[in-house]
Amino acid sequence: MASEKPQDLVVTCTAPVNIAVIKYWGKRDEALILPINSSLSVTLHQDQLKTVTTAAISKDFPEDRIWLNGQEEDVGQPRLQACLREIRRLARKRWSTGDGDALPLSLNYKVHVASENNFPTAAGLASSAAGYACLAYTLAQVYGVEGDLSEVARRGSGSACRSLYGGFVEWQMGEQSDGKDSVARQIAPEWHWPQLRILILVVSAQKKQTGSTVGMQTSVETSTLLKFRAESIVPERMKEMTRCIQERDFQAFAQLTMKDSNQFHATCLDTFPPISYLNDTSRRIIQLVHGFNTHHGQTKVAYTFDAGPNAVIFTLDDTVAEFVAAVRHSFPPATNGDKFLKGLPVTPALLSDELKAALAMEPSPGAVQYIISTQVGPGPQVLGNAHAHLLGPDGLPHQDR
């Protein structure tokens, strides 16, 4: 793609959601979106969760425009502008070969972007990470930009740089003030740990009360615990988590994942005024996981929560069926029994009376809306099929979508 100079063209790409197992919370530079600590995440499979983005450039477009999930949005939004500016700067640099060639006219063309998620936006399912990774990747294809796109994606949403890769990814916080060394890199590919499975327990698809950006700023300003975490705890945890993944040590991986999630939410409570992203159902899921593990005498399941009440569960393929049965027992589906489980199929399993007794929870019907069953997946993809484009030949979203 990038060997030819760009012209009128349209490209559609997909990008994945990532879930941090060592959490990013807090920026040292708000403008460049540089974090106060490194973080580490698992990329989820796009068969279940993805953003699809189409970008088109044309000499006929009078202005930049963007549509998210069918609604036109303000293209002047600062983070969006930062991404566009950065990709256009890289494109000019890429085509300024110094041999006297004029820059391709299309570098000055306006862009139309349409983006859709196949999951709830802003409900704590890392939609902004997938969205901005997809935007950066798609714009790079359109404008002929090569190389690492961490900086472009990061300008939109910090954790978006981790969605530029599949498998297991670390975002190195970096030390330089210009952020050039604050980049994402893959530490293991998506096929590295084939037994690993992920279940997303969707507690609420509502938009959260305190957005991540505001939450982080308040935490950085007021939480002494957050400062201690970033400086004294995360560096060792990054090393240990990398080891757990490389050695496929599930017990240690699971325990560290839960401890880091709990510590992140502790820093939210240590923020003043305090922030609480978890709700009663989130806390009951935590209780369920610990009860399940205690019954088995080993850590077979782990939870992690981002800035929202939905639980992300890590387990191995031989435990999925029993744990899903435990969730159904503790949180009986309200009315959608057949649609309660989405994604990868899970064989129905019966719970032993001993496990039911060990869980010892009053059932909460309907508290978990549904489960998405998925696995580790690859990074962004270019879709070759013209039918996948979200924009028509006129550069506007298809009316029939």
Side-chain angles (χ1 to χ4, degrees):
M1 168 70 64
S3 57
E4 299 169 24
K5 292 196 174 183
Q7 50 201 329
D8 267 28
L9 65 92
V10 55
V11 178
T12 299
C13 302
T14 67
V17 166
N18 74 77
I19 297 296
V21 287
I22 301 292
K23 303 294 190 190
Y24 148 58
W25 194 251
K27 304 179 191 72
R28 65 179 192 273
D29 186 310
E30 288 285 341
L32 297 179
I33 307 197
L34 302 178
I36 60 170
N37 62 267
S38 297
S39 54
L40 202 154
S41 61
V42 180
T43 299
L44 306 188
H45 206 288
Q46 294 174 58
D47 283 354
Q48 284 75 46
L49 295 159
K50 69 180 171 197
T51 295
V52 182
T53 300
T54 298
I57 55 173
S58 168
K59 62 182 185 306
D60 298 328
F61 296 162
E63 58 183 356
D64 295 329
R65 294 176 74 182
I66 187 163
W67 292 264
L68 298 183
N69 293 314
Q71 296 289 315
E72 185 158 14
E73 302 283 335
D74 175 17
V75 80
Q77 208 237 95
R79 289 190 173 192
L80 201 54
Q81 282 298 315
C83 283
L84 281 168
R85 261 199 316 276
E86 188 59 21
I87 206 84
R88 284 167 169 157
R89 183 187 70 77
L90 290 170
R92 285 196 178 86
K93 192 171 154 193
R94 161 94 176 82
W95 297 110
S96 301
T97 51
D99 57 8
D101 273 8
L103 288 175
L105 281 173
S106 49
L107 288 187
N108 297 317
Y109 290 174
K110 299 300 184 186
V111 67
H112 282 193
V113 176
S115 192
E116 288 183 358
N117 298 330
N118 67 346
F119 57 93
T121 308
L125 289 184
S127 57
S128 62
Y132 277 107
C134 206
L135 179 70
Y137 193 78
T138 310
L139 289 173
Q141 302 293 324
V142 165
Y143 284 112
V145 170
E146 294 174 321
D148 183 67
L149 297 172
S150 287
E151 190 164 4
V152 184
R154 200 188 67 223
R155 289 293 185 89
S157 173
S159 51
C161 65
R162 299 191 310 244
S163 277
L164 291 169
Y165 299 94
F168 303 84
V169 184
E170 73 167 328
W171 174 15
Q172 298 166 339
M173 64 179 284
E175 290 170 11
Q176 294 168 212
S177 58
D178 64 2
K180 296 294 180 202
D181 58 348
S182 185
V183 294
R185 74 172 191 103
Q186 187 184 69
I187 59 167
E190 59 266 29
W191 57 84
H192 169 72
W193 199 345
Q195 300 82 11
L196 195 65
R197 289 287 179 276
I198 298 117
L199 298 167
I200 301 170
L201 276 49
V202 179
V203 169
S204 164
Q206 304 300 307
K207 204 162 177 173
K208 53 201 180 201
Q209 283 175 310
T210 309
S212 304
T213 306
V214 175
M216 276 186 209
Q217 277 174 313
T218 316
S219 293
V220 169
E221 287 160 12
T222 64
S223 171
T224 47
L225 184 57
L226 183 66
K227 188 176 185 330
F228 177 72
R229 165 182 162 73
E231 292 170 3
S232 305
I233 296 182
V234 170
E236 271 314 304
R237 284 190 171 176
M238 287 292 293
K239 287 182 200 154
E240 171 63 4
M241 188 61 87
T242 302
R243 180 200 70 76
C244 294
I245 290 164
Q246 284 168 347
E247 297 176 12
R248 294 185 282 270
D249 179 348
F250 184 77
Q251 295 263 322
F253 168 84
Q255 289 180 25
L256 187 53
T257 293
M258 291 189 280
K259 286 178 178 174
D260 204 71
S261 174
N262 293 340
Q263 189 176 84
F264 155 54
H265 288 281
T267 65
C268 291
L269 279 181
D270 189 51
T271 300
F272 198 81
I275 305 167
S276 184
Y277 287 113
L278 306 182
N279 63 18
D280 287 346
T281 306
S282 314
R283 285 182 278 274
R284 291 176 69 99
I285 292 166
I286 290 172
Q287 189 187 339
L288 170 66
V289 168
H290 287 293
F292 188 93
N293 288 337
T294 301
H295 170 76
H296 284 290
Q298 57 174 305
T299 306
K300 298 192 76 164
V301 182
Y303 53 77
T304 186
F305 294 83
D306 281 339
N310 299 322
V312 177
I313 303 291
F314 289 95
T315 188
L316 297 177
D317 51 7
D318 60 3
T319 307
V320 171
E322 189 185 24
F323 186 73
V324 166
V327 173
R328 277 186 183 272
H329 171 74
S330 304
F331 305 100
T335 49
N336 62 338
D338 55 333
K339 297 195 180 70
F340 187 64
L341 186 74
K342 303 170 190 282
L344 296 177
V346 175
T347 312
L350 290 172
L351 285 192
S352 68
D353 289 339
E354 293 81 16
L355 180 51
K356 283 181 187 170
L359 297 178
M361 288 169 68
E362 248 333 279
S364 302
V368 171
Q369 292 184 16
Y370 56 91
I371 301 173
I372 302 169
S373 166
T374 186
Q375 60 192 340
V376 185
Q381 317 276 310
V382 178
L383 300 183
N385 185 346
H387 293 302
H389 294 329
L390 302 177
L391 295 170
D394 57 358
L396 300 174
H398 295 302
Q399 293 307 309
D400 55 350
R401 281 182 184 270

